[in-house]
Amino acid sequence: MTATETGTGTGTLDRDKLFAARLHAARVRPYLATALFALHVVESRRVPTMGVDRHWRCYVSPVFVDRTPVEELAGVWVHEVSHLLRDHHGRSDRVARERGLNGPGDRLRMNIAADFEINDDVYGDGLARPEGVVEPGDLGLAEGELMEEYLRKFSVGPRMQDLAWLDCGSGADGRGREWEFGPDGAHGLSEQERDAVRFRVAQGITGRPGSAPQGWRRWAEEAFHPPQPWRELLGAAIRSATSGPGAGEDYTYGRPARRSTAIPGIVLPSLRRRPPRVSVIIDTSGSVSDAELGSALLEVAEIARAVGGRRDLVTVVPCDASAGFARRLCRAEGIHLTGGGGTDLRAGFTRALRSRPAPDVVVALTDGQTRWPGTRPPCRTVVGLFPRGYDGHAYDDHAYDESNPVYVPDSPPDWARVVDIGS
Amino acid sequence: MPTRSTPLADTTARLDIAADLLTLLRDTTTEPRPDSQLEALTLAVAADLPVLLWGEPGIGKTAALNQLADALDLPLTTVIASVHEPSDFSGLPIVGDDPAEQGVPLAPPDWAVRLVRAGRGLLFLDELSTAPPAVQAALLRLVLERRIGALRLPPGVRIVAAANPRSSAADGWELSPPLANRFVHLQWAHDTDVVVRGLGGTWPRATLPRLDPGKLPDAVAFARRAVCELLTARPGLVHRLPSGETRRGGAWPSPRSWEMTLHLIAFATAAGSSRDVLSLLVRGTVGDGPGLELLASLDRMDLPDPETLLADPAGAVLPERGDLRQAALDAVVAAVRSRPERPRWDAAWALLVKAVESGPPDVVVVPATTLAALRREDWDVPAAIERLAGVVSLSGRADRAAARTAAAEEAVAKAGR
């Protein structure tokens, strides 16, 4: 028995050892079992260790299986399947396109950055850490970040050679390897099948949230709905609010249409553009930091540009427990945002809606630790929420009020379009 | 005169040469190439459902529509929405002799008249997202109610609309949820290989699906079963309004969009389309989450029936993919559990042996353990079970690895303390 535990040494693939390791991996990570079993094993003498391609084939070196203990092989299984579940090849291709990273060293960096993303929380809890595994700490980097973030933080150097522990194949970094079968080879999974497997794993994790660690839960929530950049979302929400019917450009009977001369006696509507007025309520209470106020002001400038460059149409209302005066953006380049203490955005709404002419859109930038108006304002409302607590759900937990510790802030009302503002 | 005619002749000759060059440039060939997105578009258009193509400008949506029109043998009419006024779609008022008495008739535009007269055609409404709101409202009525002013488009006319995604649309255009629910949303993306090869002179010629008349009844039965089985098991999916900013303006599940899905499954089945095509269509109709659940449930419908497997273990064909194979074996064991009889128990063992001999042994461990636990006292262990000895040792090996890992973790924890 000991002979088989340490390897047969004959150079043929010890399938029993490899599959015993997969069984162990599936037992300690039951939520990954579907994905682990969906992998098709290909014996290959050219792959240095174990690697996956984007079609969910797993290339295995018999020598590597021989010299690696079962429990470490299980760790490698989970590592490789994580590359595929987290779509590292697709994300690598995207990063390469966006940042113009096309050198061979770049793909090596992507493989290492992807390894960092996986390795910082995948081992332990019944799963052994394979020998020589790379972790962000090896380069002095913090844990818990995404591949794209790690990629910005280190460059190819002589130390990289030691870090290239596993060549994880094209499934990890998108670069094809000579031992891989390619899209037409046998036993590959089609795009739809890959999505289906990833979806079933994600569903298993969200269905039983207790069993999977935080990193996997976050992955499961975002697997098919990747978070969009908040600037785009906020911009889209504001632009759509300002350009919708009733605000900004639309047809009017107030002046003659360009076709009026062709059809005398008929009144046709004509297209007329009236730039929308936007009121921005900025939460200046003590719970909002200076950095956040700075980025909020930047957003106000963005909004001003989004509505057509008429800065005189954007008013800003600083607001804590009481609302300050509404100011035109053009007058106040450096708007004095004073405040502190608690927040009551209701005062800000009252102030913003009282200004004449009335705004078409009210944008509230806040951390959500506030009361909200009880009735729907007579114009469109967009709420930009600064993150509080965990998961970016500012209003779920971590209620904060010195005078009243049991106070739980209301969540933003239904009539507002809410955009979570990230960092 | 000769002094004037020479430069003129010269110019004509130059333009001729330019024309020759243009002819050479246009001289491209086509090659057959499977194209999932074009196939999905064709099926949705054939099913007469309103399609909305989402794609960045300049990505080849118009070229695809040309190809589709060729394939369906329909004349193509393209209307650029952003250069029209609402009255172009609701009709232009024409003043008669006595407007107060006879009213003001609304005249439809010429292209609509020609379409109605032809009785058939493909109408492509481009740049929906950059048109002013009132034009969009008029256009959506055209797409959904098939009316232009007083005219009603004949059934032979098929309509496709196109819009830019929210991130690239100039004014952050989006559909309200009720409107989004009426469309099949297809994401249009370009394939670098296709573009490079096309610029090199060879464009793809999509092989378009044809509906097989012999498959129609089965296709309808299959589609009904697929949708009903899923919605019976997951009633929460019947109607779910989109929540959150990221999902606005896209597909979401409702009884209406499920009916559209049912139609699309039937069309894809009758056309023998791949799952990739069906995936595009279903996710574009009810959204990613419910669409993927439907596809996952189709995968399970594809699994061999456990009773068929038990009836003939020798001739059984098990799925090749490990996770599906385990699901099929689990279903077999569950079938034995629901009606435990000796011959069925033996047949299940034979199936497990077959699985071990034809694929990875680790997927057999769980079904084998469960099946062993179903044994009644008077049932002898079948002889075939010896061939599963490898599975038992495999399981033991994994157990030992787990024990070693646990011991090592404990040692680390102690050292850390």
Side-chain angles (χ1 to χ4, degrees):
Chain A
M1 215 55 206
T2 39
T4 48
E5 291 294 351
T6 51
T8 53
T10 55
T12 55
L13 178 62
D14 185 348
R15 292 172 61 85
D16 281 351
K17 185 175 180 183
L18 184 66
F19 289 123
R22 181 161 78 170
L23 183 64
H24 172 46
R27 281 177 179 169
V28 291
R29 298 286 183 272
Y31 47 90
L32 301 181
T34 302
L36 285 166
F37 289 141
L39 281 170
H40 180 81
V41 172
V42 180
E43 178 177 353
S44 169
R45 254 150 246 287
R46 295 161 75 188
V47 58
T49 52
M50 248 165 99
V52 283
D53 69 9
R54 57 177 74 214
H55 307 283
W56 286 64
R57 300 187 197 96
C58 182
Y59 303 85
V60 184
S61 150
V63 182
F64 177 68
V65 172
D66 263 350
R67 67 161 195 257
T68 313
V70 176
E71 53 268 40
E72 286 187 25
L73 271 180
V76 179
W77 270 111
V78 170
H79 176 97
E80 298 299 337
V81 87
S82 302
H83 278 307
L84 296 173
L85 285 171
R86 288 164 180 261
D87 189 29
H88 278 150
H89 51 89
R91 285 162 60 191
S92 292
D93 288 349
R94 264 197 301 284
V95 168
R97 247 193 336 268
E98 281 164 14
R99 304 191 197 162
L101 302 173
N102 294 318
D106 288 329
R107 291 289 181 171
L108 173 62
R109 281 202 310 134
M110 288 174 201
N111 195 340
I112 293 170
D115 284 358
F116 283 169
E117 180 187 312
I118 293 172
N119 290 344
D120 58 11
D121 65 350
V122 74
Y123 305 114
D125 199 15
L127 194 66
R129 207 166 159 272
E131 198 172 327
V133 76
V134 292
E135 285 186 6
D138 300 347
L139 289 181
L141 302 174
E143 291 192 345
E145 301 199 358
L146 295 176
M147 172 202 135
E148 287 84 351
E149 294 163 325
Y150 285 127
L151 203 52
R152 291 184 195 280
K153 295 183 179 168
F154 67 95
S155 56
V156 185
R159 290 175 68 192
M160 291 295 111
Q161 291 313 315
D162 307 332
L163 288 180
W165 162 67
L166 287 173
D167 184 348
C168 298
S170 65
D173 58 18
R175 180 173 61 89
R177 308 294 204 272
E178 64 268 27
W179 59 78
E180 292 178 354
F181 287 177
D184 301 326
H187 301 302
L189 265 59
S190 74
E191 197 183 341
Q192 184 267 324
E193 290 172 314
R194 301 193 298 253
D195 280 351
V197 173
R198 292 174 64 225
F199 179 74
R200 287 190 61 184
V201 173
Q203 219 187 8
I205 291 174
T206 47
R208 280 170 302 168
S211 60
Q214 180 67 32
W216 278 112
R217 288 214 304 272
R218 198 181 318 137
W219 168 81
E221 277 162 26
E222 294 172 357
F224 289 92
H225 290 287
Q228 288 190 22
W230 64 270
R231 277 167 221 281
E232 274 179 28
L233 278 178
L234 186 65
I238 293 172
R239 280 199 303 264
S240 128
T242 51
S243 66
E249 182 186 69
D250 209 346
Y251 283 82
T252 161
Y253 289 89
R255 57 165 73 172
R258 62 183 167 85
R259 278 177 173 158
S260 294
T261 47
I263 322 171
I266 296 292
V267 180
L268 285 175
S270 69
L271 186 61
R272 190 173 166 211
R273 191 169 169 78
R274 180 176 62 86
R277 291 165 206 284
V278 179
S279 266
V280 186
I281 305 169
I282 295 186
D283 184 347
T284 57
S285 64
S287 52
V288 179
S289 74
D290 284 354
E292 285 171 336
L293 286 181
S295 88
L297 267 184
L298 272 179
E299 282 319 299
V300 173
E302 274 300 310
I303 293 160
R305 211 175 317 146
V307 297
R310 294 274 304 274
R311 289 164 68 97
D312 58 316
L313 295 176
V314 180
T315 49
V316 175
V317 182
C319 176
D320 47 19
S322 64
F325 291 104
R327 289 151 220 258
R328 295 263 153 80
L329 188 61
C330 60
R331 258 216 337 244
E333 188 59 47
I335 298 166
H336 193 49
L337 297 171
T338 48
T343 323
D344 193 345
L345 277 191
R346 289 177 294 185
F349 271 93
T350 313
R351 169 77 64 186
L353 295 169
R354 210 192 296 148
S355 61
R356 287 290 171 269
D360 296 304
V361 178
V362 170
V363 180
L365 300 171
T366 172
D367 62 356
Q369 321 258 329
T370 176
R371 305 260 179 220
W372 297 94
T375 53
R376 180 180 195 140
C379 66
R380 286 152 212 267
T381 310
V382 177
V383 173
L385 272 186
F386 295 114
R388 284 293 174 277
Y390 217 45
D391 284 349
H393 292 295
Y395 38 88
D396 274 359
D397 36 28
H398 293 264
Y400 169 80
D401 188 345
E402 298 98 340
S403 54
N404 181 8
V406 292
Y407 160 69
V408 176
D410 304 332
S411 54
D414 293 340
W415 38 260
R417 297 183 55 165
V418 183
V419 176
D420 285 322
I421 296 182
S423 46
Chain B
M1 284 308 270
T3 48
R4 284 182 66 94
S5 70
T6 316
L8 192 64
D10 196 30
T11 314
T12 318
R14 279 191 210 170
L15 278 178
D16 285 346
I17 297 172
D20 289 347
L21 183 55
L22 284 175
T23 311
L24 272 180
L25 280 170
R26 279 191 210 110
D27 184 21
T28 55
T29 55
T30 57
E31 61 184 356
R33 183 192 168 97
D35 183 340
S36 299
Q37 44 183 18
L38 193 58
E39 195 175 333
L41 173 63
T42 312
L43 283 176
V45 169
D48 201 13
L49 295 172
V51 180
L52 187 54
L53 300 182
W54 292 93
E56 307 283 338
I59 210 159
K61 295 190 289 270
T62 313
L65 262 291
N66 275 319
Q67 212 178 12
L68 177 67
D70 278 352
L72 298 174
D73 193 24
L74 291 173
L76 176 68
T77 308
T78 302
V79 176
I80 309 280
S82 51
V83 299
H84 285 271
E85 296 191 350
S87 49
D88 292 344
F89 303 107
S90 53
L92 284 159
I94 303 294
V95 187
D97 293 338
D98 190 356
E101 191 62 37
Q102 297 173 0
V104 178
L106 295 173
D110 61 333
W111 54 262
V113 174
R114 266 182 271 131
L115 255 183
V116 171
R117 199 173 293 151
R120 51 199 287 282
L122 183 63
L123 176 58
F124 179 38
L125 304 171
D126 204 357
E127 296 186 21
L128 197 60
S129 49
T130 42
V135 174
Q136 287 170 15
L139 269 177
L140 289 170
R141 177 167 176 260
L142 164 57
V143 174
L144 302 169
E145 293 174 23
R146 307 175 60 93
R147 281 184 171 282
I148 314 166
L151 279 185
R152 194 178 177 83
L153 290 177
V157 174
R158 298 291 157 94
I159 309 174
V160 179
N164 298 331
R166 201 148 67 123
S167 55
S168 70
D171 51 0
W173 183 77
E174 65 184 23
L175 284 172
S176 68
L179 280 176
N181 196 233
R182 289 175 160 89
F183 282 102
V184 179
H185 302 252
L186 290 181
Q187 307 294 330
W188 211 257
H190 71 270
D191 181 345
T192 313
D193 293 346
V194 169
V195 174
V196 170
R197 195 152 164 74
L199 293 174
T202 313
W203 287 102
R205 184 178 67 248
T207 38
L208 293 164
R210 283 190 194 289
L211 302 177
D212 181 349
K215 284 188 189 166
L216 301 186
D218 286 348
V220 172
F222 176 77
R224 293 215 161 111
R225 202 176 121 219
V227 171
C228 295
E229 270 185 18
L230 175 71
L231 294 185
T232 310
R234 299 272 286 109
L237 290 180
V238 171
H239 188 270
R240 204 164 65 189
L241 261 164
S243 64
E245 276 299 309
T246 43
R247 296 172 207 190
R248 284 180 84 96
W252 54 279
S254 75
R256 183 198 349 253
S257 53
W258 279 116
E259 180 168 12
M260 288 161 64
T261 303
L262 200 153
H263 284 213
L264 289 168
I265 298 175
F267 269 81
T269 310
S273 297
S274 72
R275 277 289 156 79
D276 284 321
V277 173
L278 189 60
S279 166
L280 290 177
L281 289 170
V282 170
R283 289 160 75 172
T285 312
V286 290
D288 276 345
L292 283 162
E293 284 207 36
L294 178 81
L295 293 161
S297 114
L298 284 182
D299 278 348
R300 246 160 280 146
M301 273 171 70
D302 280 351
L303 290 180
D305 178 30
E307 293 301 332
T308 319
L309 292 178
L310 283 173
D312 179 20
V317 181
L318 292 166
E320 198 65 39
R321 231 172 79 193
D323 57 327
L324 297 181
R325 175 172 285 217
Q326 190 177 40
L329 294 175
D330 281 342
V332 165
V333 174
V336 173
R337 182 202 296 276
S338 67
R339 192 150 57 85
E341 286 163 17
R342 179 71 202 270
R344 289 160 67 81
W345 194 63
D346 286 345
W349 281 116
L351 282 168
L352 293 186
V353 168
K354 194 174 175 111
V356 167
E357 284 168 353
S358 62
D362 51 345
V363 302
V364 185
V365 171
V366 172
T369 319
T370 327
L371 189 62
L374 293 180
R375 189 173 88 93
R376 299 284 164 91
E377 275 177 23
D378 54 333
W379 292 355
D380 296 333
V381 176
I385 213 165
E386 281 184 17
R387 277 139 83 192
L388 288 171
V391 172
V392 178
S393 81
L394 189 85
S395 179
R397 218 167 161 180
D399 287 341
R400 284 194 295 282
R404 282 196 300 271
T405 315
E409 275 177 10
E410 204 171 313
V412 169
K414 265 187 192 149
R417 219 180 287 150

